[in-house]
Amino acid sequence: MILLHCSIHFGFDDTSFMSFFRHVFFFFMPWFFFKNGYFFKLSERKVLAKNSFKRLIKPYLKWMLIGHLIYCIFLCVSGFFDWKLYVIYPLKQLVCDSALVGNLPLWFLLSLFLVRLLANELLQFRFNLIVVILLLGIICYISYIFSPLRFILLSNVPTGLFFFLSGYIIKNNSNIISEKSSIVQHIMTTCPIIIYLSIVCLEPSYVDMRVNILWEGSYVYWLIGSILACLTINTICKMRIFDRLGLGYIGRNSMMFYVSHWVILYIIHICIAILTNMGFDVPIKSFV
């Protein structure tokens, strides 16, 4: 995710390397929702709302403010003094994009907060989760057909809920796999890996999950392939490979990396633009 955002800020998004990256890691945003669902436990409504607010909305608000303050500083440095750029247009962007240009990736935290609340309500009613996931898949596809929607929460909350509940149902039915014979377990473990690699090679598909827009390939393959890719990652994690590579530290501190990386990239991007006399673009002016 951070690599993708680096490519956006520094102009190598259209390179062959980034094309390969998107082909292989097309599931990185679905995985964030999937793993949250994988470890999710039913809670009393008020307890879940309070805990989720503390874990998600507090850093969302704090780092949104930090990003916006930095944005305002560079507006002043670059000679933009129209008060609407500081107040009115950011408010419009916040309503539509769920985040501000100073820290745009924070949309995920608000989306995940809503997904957790919705998932908890659905699970309280004990609906057939297979049917619910299939219906959500249809809603996601309809949202993709009519995208881009003006309010991105209408685009990414259904997809987030789709992957969240997929992770939940897989985790809570993992005992079924463990009860199978070793041969069946091996087949059920290797099949997702084979299908995922087949999609990567034969029909690479990538969706910008924030706005639910298909960049290339097949939307249905992206939905199915992302779940299979998440299962593949789960299999790799059981081998403790990531711990051996020292990536456990990143996992334990993922929230700090997530909320701060865009701010750092944004500062570097704007400083380079100013130092090289390239000027400072004001993308938020699109709301005029």
Side-chain angles (χ1 to χ4, degrees):
M1 177 198 65
I2 294 177
L3 178 61
L4 179 63
H5 291 162
C6 285
S7 73
I8 294 172
H9 273 283
F10 304 116
F12 58 93
D13 190 45
D14 294 329
T15 61
S16 57
F17 171 77
M18 289 309 300
S19 178
F20 171 78
F21 173 84
R22 284 190 292 269
H23 288 171
V24 176
F25 296 105
F26 61 87
F27 61 90
F28 74 91
M29 278 310 304
W31 187 53
F32 287 135
F33 287 96
F34 181 93
K35 71 187 180 106
N36 270 278
Y38 195 84
F39 295 108
F40 182 76
K41 294 182 180 179
L42 271 172
S43 302
E44 196 274 327
R45 185 181 292 117
K46 291 183 179 179
V47 173
L48 177 70
K50 181 179 179 180
N51 291 339
S52 297
F53 185 89
K54 181 179 179 181
R55 291 175 53 196
L56 301 173
I57 301 302
K58 281 190 174 181
Y60 170 84
L61 296 173
K62 174 183 176 181
W63 284 92
M64 187 78 70
L65 178 60
I66 292 173
H68 187 59
L69 287 176
I70 292 171
Y71 178 76
C72 291
I73 290 171
F74 281 104
L75 278 178
C76 293
V77 171
S78 303
F80 295 95
F81 300 107
D82 184 351
W83 70 275
K84 293 180 181 179
L85 290 173
Y86 296 81
V87 181
I88 301 300
Y89 303 144
L91 287 176
K92 290 182 179 179
Q93 186 187 34
L94 187 61
V95 171
C96 294
D97 291 345
S98 302
L100 299 177
V101 68
N103 207 339
L104 201 55
L106 293 183
W107 67 267
F108 165 73
L109 297 182
L110 180 58
S111 180
L112 179 59
F113 175 75
L114 295 175
V115 164
R116 286 174 62 85
L117 297 184
L118 288 171
N120 196 62
E121 291 300 317
L122 288 172
L123 293 172
Q124 297 283 3
F125 286 105
R126 301 187 181 278
F127 292 125
N128 186 317
L129 289 184
I130 298 296
V131 175
V132 172
I133 289 173
L134 289 175
L135 290 175
L136 282 170
I138 294 173
I139 293 172
C140 294
Y141 189 78
I142 293 174
S143 172
Y144 144 68
I145 292 176
F146 291 101
S147 64
L149 297 173
R150 195 67 187 96
F151 304 100
I152 68 166
L153 284 177
L154 298 177
S155 296
N156 56 54
V157 168
T159 51
L161 191 57
F162 174 84
F163 293 115
F164 187 96
L165 290 177
S166 297
Y168 180 87
I169 193 173
I170 288 172
K171 172 66 173 181
N172 285 274
N173 288 275
S174 58
N175 61 316
I176 297 177
I177 298 177
S178 62
E179 293 173 357
K180 302 292 183 181
S181 66
S182 58
I183 296 178
V184 174
Q185 288 184 39
H186 184 70
I187 293 174
M188 296 179 73
T189 300
T190 55
C191 278
I193 300 174
I194 294 172
I195 299 173
Y196 157 65
L197 293 175
S198 299
I199 291 176
V200 170
C201 296
L202 301 177
E203 188 66 33
S205 304
Y206 180 73
V207 170
D208 183 346
M209 190 171 170
R210 186 179 76 92
V211 288
N212 202 31
I213 292 178
L214 179 69
W215 280 27
E216 61 178 316
S218 164
Y219 189 88
V220 174
Y221 283 179
W222 174 76
L223 283 178
I224 298 174
S226 293
I227 294 176
L228 297 175
C230 291
L231 291 174
T232 299
I233 290 294
N234 279 359
T235 300
I236 296 174
C237 287
K238 291 176 181 178
M239 302 175 186
R240 313 296 292 181
I241 293 176
F242 292 133
D243 284 344
R244 294 168 188 167
L245 294 174
L247 297 180
Y249 173 81
I250 296 177
R252 289 188 294 272
N253 297 277
S254 58
M255 177 62 82
M256 180 53 65
F257 285 108
Y258 188 85
V259 297
S260 64
H261 79 277
W262 184 271
V263 172
I264 296 171
L265 293 175
Y266 198 62
I267 292 173
I268 296 172
H269 182 183
I270 298 174
C271 286
I272 291 174
I274 292 175
L275 292 173
T276 56
N277 295 317
M278 292 174 59
F280 173 43
D281 185 27
V282 188
I284 206 169
K285 291 176 74 175
S286 63
F287 284 90
V288 176

